[in-house]
Amino acid sequence: MLTVDFSRFPLAPGDRVLDLGCGAGRHAFECYRRGAQVVALDQNGEEIREVAKWFAAMKEAGEAPEGATATAMEGDALALPFPDESFDVVIISEVMEHIPDDKGVLAEMVRVLRPGGRIAITVPRYGPEKVCWTLSDAYHEVEGGHIRIYKADELLGKIREAGLEPYGSHHAHALHSPYWWLKCAFGVDNDQALPVRAYHKLLVWDIMKKPLATRVAEQALNPLIGKSFVAYATKPHLPRVDAK
């Protein structure tokens, strides 16, 4: 299940891509399939080992085009182990709401992104997320949990302050908002509650089958209750300075 819309955020074969805070690797895998040179980075070593296994399995199965590369590595988002301007593309999905120094993370992403490069940032949307926080303290008051809720204008403002130029945004995963509201209402660790189990089955069916009816419904509902807010931006080229 992708949050970044690659029709709005196109990749070219050979693009150098950093998936920062890659988690289970969903966006990194898609970039690899599209022929990119991918680095998937996360501070969770267990998840990184799983991502590395999936990269190897994809290569073995011939899922990645010739010339595509994929590396999974542990790392700190506030101290990226890469030189300046190392990447054409940076993706950070559902990560910044966890990090106290979000401006520091943005600064690091800008540092490693080449001028003219593109960045995609996704965070939980304010309205649906606020409902979750209201229904359940346990949803966010956990170690490593969500520490803030972004309003769209706030996030776009921080993106601009970091020196990036936003060029588009949208909402995603409207069908997932009710699932999390149910989880928060019945207990975030209570997966056996009947409404939670029933809705989870619906989501799995939707992800696996992609029926037209739910695709149309989600597109219609995304502007209203989309679970994620997605922003796209570019790093501008520096003005040319003529030698005197």
Side-chain angles (χ1 to χ4, degrees):
M1 183 187 71
L2 299 174
T3 307
V4 173
D5 181 351
F6 286 94
S7 69
R8 309 184 196 210
F9 190 69
L11 289 182
D15 274 351
R16 301 163 297 168
V17 177
L18 173 63
D19 185 1
L20 180 55
C22 65
R26 58 201 172 104
H27 289 105
F29 300 149
E30 181 64 20
C31 294
Y32 190 31
R33 291 188 187 98
R34 290 171 179 260
Q37 298 174 9
V38 184
V39 175
L41 183 143
D42 201 284
Q43 67 177 3
N44 186 318
E46 183 176 342
E47 285 198 309
I48 283 297
R49 286 187 287 275
E50 284 299 310
V51 170
K53 290 178 183 177
W54 279 106
F55 278 151
M58 290 172 67
K59 181 177 181 180
E60 182 70 21
E63 289 189 40
E66 184 177 352
T69 62
T71 303
M73 61 185 294
E74 290 184 60
D76 182 354
L78 289 165
L80 295 174
F82 310 112
D84 295 356
E85 302 178 9
S86 298
F87 296 95
D88 303 300
V89 172
V90 177
I91 296 171
I92 185 166
S93 182
E94 311 300 301
V95 173
M96 286 180 56
E97 67 275 9
H98 297 272
I99 301 177
D101 187 8
D102 58 346
K103 290 185 178 181
V105 173
L106 276 166
E108 273 294 86
M109 289 190 289
V110 171
R111 180 184 68 78
V112 302
L113 185 66
R114 68 164 176 82
R118 305 174 306 285
I119 190 165
I121 300 173
T122 91
V123 297
R125 183 185 186 175
Y126 183 85
E129 184 77 347
K130 189 69 173 179
V131 173
C132 290
W133 282 45
T134 300
L135 290 172
S136 171
D137 290 336
Y139 171 80
H140 64 98
E141 291 182 356
V142 295
E143 184 177 356
H146 298 183
I147 62 170
R148 69 173 66 80
I149 310 177
Y150 288 102
K151 292 186 176 180
D153 288 346
E154 175 194 1
L155 180 61
L156 292 171
K158 289 185 176 183
I159 290 171
R160 293 188 181 97
E161 288 173 12
L164 297 167
E165 296 180 351
Y167 70 84
S169 65
H170 62 90
H171 301 99
H173 309 318
L175 296 182
H176 289 250
S177 290
Y179 172 71
W180 283 102
W181 297 338
L182 289 169
K183 288 270 287 182
C184 289
F186 287 92
V188 290
D189 296 321
N190 181 12
D191 293 328
Q192 298 308 308
L194 181 58
V196 174
R197 286 193 290 118
Y199 202 95
H200 184 263
K201 287 182 179 179
L202 170 66
L203 291 180
V204 171
W205 172 76
D206 174 57
I207 291 169
M208 298 301 294
K209 301 296 185 180
K210 297 181 174 62
L212 179 61
T214 55
R215 295 301 87 218
V216 170
E218 183 156 79
Q219 288 299 317
L221 290 170
N222 274 337
L224 301 174
I225 59 169
K227 184 74 170 67
S228 295
F229 174 71
V230 188
Y232 306 107
T234 59
K235 178 178 177 177
H237 293 274
L238 294 175
R240 180 177 174 179
V241 178
D242 295 326
K244 294 182 180 180

